[in-house]
Amino acid sequence: MNDISRRTMLVAGGTLGALCLASPASASSLWTWSPAGSLAGAGTGTDPNWVWDDEADQLLAAVIDRGDVPRVNAALRTWTRNDQPLPAGLPADVHDFIERARQLPPWADRNKLDAAAQFNRTKGIYVGVLYGLGSGLMSTAIPREARAVYYSQGGADMKDRVAKTAKLGYDVGDLDAYQPQGEMIVTAVKTRMVHAAVRHLLPKSPGWSGTSGGQKIPISLADMLVTWHSLPTFVMRKMLEWGVRVSAADSAAYLHVWQVTAHMLGIRDEYIPATWEAANEQSRQLLDPALGPTREGVALANDLLDIVAEVDGGLTRPMISGFSRYTVGEQIGNWIGLRREPFWEVLIRTAWPKLVAFREHLIPLPLVPDAAWALEEVIRRFVLLFFSEGRRISIEIPDMNRPS
């Protein structure tokens, strides 16, 4: 965390030290969410804090232990499209797993997936900025997720790791996401394998073990659901708060593409919410109490904002920081060390709602302040960066933890 200034750490608040070793509330609270609200409509009711991805976990443990990670990564670099045959050179057990894992669930609805792609296109400026400056930054305020990222192999280059972690957001919003020519199936399967590798490796990291709050195996299905809710559940809630017009059909389609994505990442259907009502109920139990500050989260948030700063040498970073605080809220902004930007915060609170209302045909052009157009241009540039970054990223299986 050499790039994190003393001032930034102080901004994160005095509660950091007290909470750094605390176990997230979601790990200790009683699991009460009913599987009747899931896509499966039934289930065991087992607390997902104690459920992982058995098939993938056993496979990746074997791949790592026998030294096959370089071989698998080399082969999978050429597998980029959903419809591509798997490359030659994969071990037989890896080949067979991927062939099973790449199949869409029988309940996947192609019409809804197509509708979701169109929704992502028409509402792209909202979805893109909420993924990057909402969900992306919120993830750094999820202690378990922040530490799993920080102490794993990619933590040594957090900017690269943040970009790889965010690739799922780029690809799920692509027009071709689950089409044969798209990349989302590939991204989901590779991410599932990375999660399994991290589960095998991270318990051997003294840094992670010393801050895990007693968790013995990282990335439980509860942790994955927490991350899931920081994406579609949060994004839909914020769009509705902003007054974005979302039809019932678009709402259902957007939920569906993320339901399919949860399944493809290895989350059991009995935990995947069937409706937005069920999703919001589950999010209140899992995501809300899982949020909090960590030093690792501050470092990750700083690097995520550095990605944006590269566009113009940091000239718009104050505005991006102000917009981020507006998006995730004051408490999360403090937890992850976002700088206060009084000028931009006031301007954004005034201009952004007017801009949204104009875009949604709720107010006429003369009521939109001039500053809103400058704000929109910066946000548009950020969204273009956010989506273009994903095209240059190769998700690879780690074979070690963060060096040091």
Side-chain angles (χ1 to χ4, degrees):
M1 287 182 283
N2 295 332
D3 295 333
I4 308 302
S5 67
R6 181 175 180 272
R7 178 183 179 277
T8 301
M9 293 303 300
L10 290 172
V11 168
T15 56
L16 255 175
L19 292 181
C20 271
L21 299 179
S23 177
S26 61
S28 57
S29 59
L30 181 65
W31 172 250
T32 59
W33 191 80
S34 171
S38 71
L39 282 175
T44 63
T46 303
D47 185 339
N49 278 293
W50 304 103
V51 182
W52 291 268
D53 186 351
D54 295 341
E55 182 182 13
D57 292 351
Q58 292 172 16
L59 171 70
L60 269 296
V63 169
I64 292 168
D65 290 346
R66 68 185 185 231
D68 266 349
V69 170
R71 173 187 173 191
V72 171
N73 280 335
L76 289 181
R77 283 185 200 117
T78 64
W79 184 48
T80 59
R81 281 177 45 132
N82 296 337
D83 60 353
Q84 263 184 284
L86 291 180
L90 285 173
D93 55 353
V94 175
H95 180 281
D96 292 347
F97 168 79
I98 293 178
E99 286 293 4
R100 292 191 299 274
R102 71 189 298 185
Q103 304 304 313
L104 291 179
W107 44 263
D109 185 325
R110 285 288 182 184
N111 291 330
K112 285 185 177 181
L113 293 176
D114 290 344
Q118 291 304 315
F119 174 74
N120 279 309
R121 182 181 66 84
T122 58
K123 305 297 183 182
I125 190 168
Y126 309 125
V127 174
V129 77
L130 283 169
Y131 282 160
L133 299 181
S135 302
L137 282 168
M138 182 183 290
S139 71
T140 68
I142 301 171
R144 282 186 173 181
E145 182 170 350
R147 289 178 178 129
V149 169
Y150 185 83
Y151 290 108
S152 58
Q153 185 174 4
D157 183 352
M158 291 188 292
K159 190 179 298 182
D160 177 71
R161 180 57 183 266
V162 167
K164 287 180 178 178
T165 302
K167 187 179 190 304
L168 188 145
Y170 316 143
D171 290 343
V172 76
D174 192 85
L175 283 173
D176 296 327
Y178 282 106
Q179 295 291 335
Q181 68 273 22
E183 299 182 12
M184 190 55 214
I185 291 174
V186 176
T187 295
V189 173
K190 287 184 178 180
T191 301
R192 183 179 175 186
M193 295 172 72
V194 168
H195 287 167
V198 171
R199 289 189 195 101
H200 183 63
L201 293 167
L202 210 52
K204 303 170 187 176
S205 162
W208 179 80
S209 298
T211 60
S212 67
Q215 188 181 36
K216 302 300 182 184
I217 305 173
I219 317 180
S220 68
L221 291 198
D223 296 325
M224 293 178 68
L225 286 164
V226 166
T227 302
W228 190 88
H229 286 296
S230 75
L231 287 153
T233 310
F234 169 78
V235 168
M236 181 56 70
R237 185 172 70 247
K238 291 303 293 187
M239 283 196 291
L240 295 178
E241 286 178 7
W242 285 352
V244 177
R245 289 181 168 180
V246 182
S247 69
D250 284 343
S251 177
Y254 183 68
L255 175 60
H256 187 70
V257 73
W258 277 101
Q259 290 169 329
V260 171
T261 300
H263 176 96
M264 299 301 289
L265 288 170
I267 297 176
R268 298 180 188 178
D269 289 359
E270 68 177 277
Y271 296 113
I272 302 174
T275 65
W276 282 119
E277 181 182 9
N280 285 316
E281 180 187 349
Q282 191 185 83
S283 179
R284 284 190 291 271
Q285 179 165 3
L286 284 179
L287 174 60
D288 293 359
L291 296 167
T294 62
R295 295 180 184 276
E296 296 84 356
V298 172
L300 289 168
N302 189 69
D303 277 334
L304 180 58
L305 291 175
D306 277 349
I307 294 174
V308 183
E310 288 178 357
V311 180
D312 56 9
L315 291 176
T316 58
R317 178 156 178 170
M319 190 281 286
I320 292 295
S321 294
F323 194 91
S324 299
R325 186 176 283 274
Y326 172 75
T327 303
V328 300
E330 291 295 314
Q331 186 175 55
I332 291 177
N334 290 337
W335 282 343
I336 62 178
L338 286 180
R339 296 175 184 172
R340 298 306 309 241
E341 302 290 348
F343 170 79
W344 284 108
E345 289 171 34
V346 172
L347 187 147
I348 290 164
R349 283 197 302 269
T350 303
W352 183 251
K354 296 287 183 65
L355 186 61
V356 172
F358 171 72
R359 283 180 148 275
E360 298 303 310
H361 309 293
L362 298 174
I363 64 171
L365 180 61
L367 294 181
V368 182
D370 290 342
W373 303 111
L375 176 61
E376 182 184 50
E377 180 56 29
V378 174
I379 294 299
R380 187 188 301 280
R381 241 188 305 161
F382 167 77
V383 171
L384 288 174
L385 168 73
F386 181 83
F387 282 110
S388 65
E389 279 289 323
R391 301 297 174 259
R392 300 191 296 272
I393 295 168
S394 174
I395 297 174
E396 305 213 342
I397 299 165
D399 58 3
M400 60 184 292
N401 292 314
R402 178 189 177 95
S404 71

